[in-house]
Amino acid sequence: MHSKGSRRPGAVATAAAAGTVVVGLLTAFAGTGAGASASSRHPGWEQSLRGGPVQPGDGKGSGAPSAKPAPSKAPPKAGRSISHHTRAGGHSVALTLDDGPHPEWTPKVLDLLSENHIKATFCLIGPNAEANPQLVRRIVAEGHRLCDHSVDHDTGMDHKPVDYQRQQILGAKKMIDKASGGARVHYYRAPGGAFTPASRRIAAGQGMRPLGWVVDPADWERPGVEAILENAKRQVEDGAVVLFHDGGGDRSESYEALRQFIPWLKEQGYSFDFPKA
């Protein structure tokens, strides 16, 4: 849309006829009114239509306005309820790894999963993803899924204001998005399971399904490999989401327990799947 420019009468060669003078004055007055009509619109209205500032006195612009930029893609739909089980159900489990990526333990876990042809979900702390983008990209390249695990791993988030929860969730997602190159983040796992209705709504609004677990072998406490294995075997059930850790400190016990747990699961006839998203 373009505003009309004011038209002014040419110079009068002679002051002959009074009618000519009157016509000229009326024409000038009408032109001034047209200009006022265009300029009375909200400041910037032409800029918003044309995509750039309007230069005064620019006689150009007879062509069509430039195309508007494509709208940003809406996030995928995600439920707000907490996912505890696999997509397939039945005799399957979903392995999830928390608190990484870690420069020592995440590569070892990835190698272990690759050797066993298993896909897992990695729940990433924002700053850890930011510090190790090559590992985030490897996770994605090898067919695993990403999960937002907050910025600061604050297990008391459920007692904090909604704005704080939003910052923790969306801040981490932004870091993960940058590290991964924009790969989809399928889930959000609250630190320590500290979900709230608000945090679940915020996550789902960004296409991230809240992610819980069924099996918690307490490997984060470092009770010893045997204790971790015993806990995991006792708690596992059909369709269970299993929680392990590849970050947050020394995860040698977690890694060794997982290395022994995987073949045991296979012996029991379990298959491997992703959590419901």
Side-chain angles (χ1 to χ4, degrees), residues 58-143:
D58 189 352
K60 301 177 183 179
S62 58
S66 58
K68 295 181 181 179
S72 56
K73 189 176 180 181
K77 291 184 178 180
R80 296 185 186 182
S81 62
I82 301 173
S83 178
H84 294 94
H85 294 90
T86 61
R87 299 175 304 175
H91 207 50
S92 65
V93 296
L95 297 182
T96 64
L97 288 306
D98 276 20
D99 298 353
H102 188 283
E104 180 178 1
W105 300 108
T106 301
K108 292 182 178 181
V109 169
L110 285 168
D111 289 344
L112 177 64
L113 295 171
S114 179
E115 291 165 9
N116 286 276
H117 309 288
I118 295 171
K119 305 303 180 188
T121 298
F122 286 79
C123 300
L124 309 180
I125 302 295
N128 291 351
E130 192 172 52
N132 299 281
Q134 74 286 355
L135 289 177
V136 179
R137 290 192 294 269
R138 180 180 170 188
I139 289 168
V140 173
E142 295 185 7

Side-chain angles (χ1 to χ4, degrees), residues 138-270:
R138 180 180 170 188
I139 289 168
V140 173
E142 295 185 7
H144 306 289
R145 286 189 173 183
L146 301 177
C147 171
D148 179 332
H149 200 32
S150 83
V151 174
D152 295 313
H153 201 275
D154 182 352
T155 57
M157 275 179 62
D158 52 337
H159 300 294
K160 302 291 177 64
V162 172
D163 284 347
Y164 174 83
Q165 297 176 49
R166 181 179 293 107
Q167 182 273 327
Q168 286 288 312
I169 297 167
L170 302 187
K173 185 177 184 299
K174 183 176 181 180
M175 296 176 191
I176 295 167
D177 286 343
K178 183 177 179 181
S180 71
R184 182 180 174 186
V185 182
H186 283 78
Y187 313 98
Y188 164 67
R189 173 173 278 166
F195 287 103
T196 66
S199 69
R200 291 189 285 111
R201 183 188 71 249
I202 293 164
Q206 294 296 313
M208 300 184 292
R209 176 78 179 267
L211 179 60
W213 60 83
V214 171
V215 178
D216 178 6
D219 64 313
W220 52 277
E221 293 182 326
R222 293 194 281 270
V225 174
E226 292 304 318
I228 295 171
L229 270 174
E230 182 181 346
N231 291 338
K233 291 177 181 179
R234 184 180 67 254
Q235 296 175 30
V236 73
E237 61 182 45
D238 285 356
V241 172
V242 180
L243 169 64
F244 268 82
H245 290 77
D246 67 324
D250 179 6
R251 293 304 174 201
S252 55
E253 291 182 9
S254 299
Y255 171 77
E256 181 57 29
L258 185 62
R259 194 183 68 81
Q260 297 181 40
F261 187 46
I262 287 173
W264 181 86
L265 287 169
K266 289 183 174 181
E267 289 170 5
Q268 309 308 306
Y270 282 98

Side-chain angles (χ1 to χ4, degrees), residues 3 46 50 53-60:
S3 60
E46 286 187 309
R50 297 180 180 180
V54 179
Q55 300 299 327
D58 189 352
K60 301 177 183 179

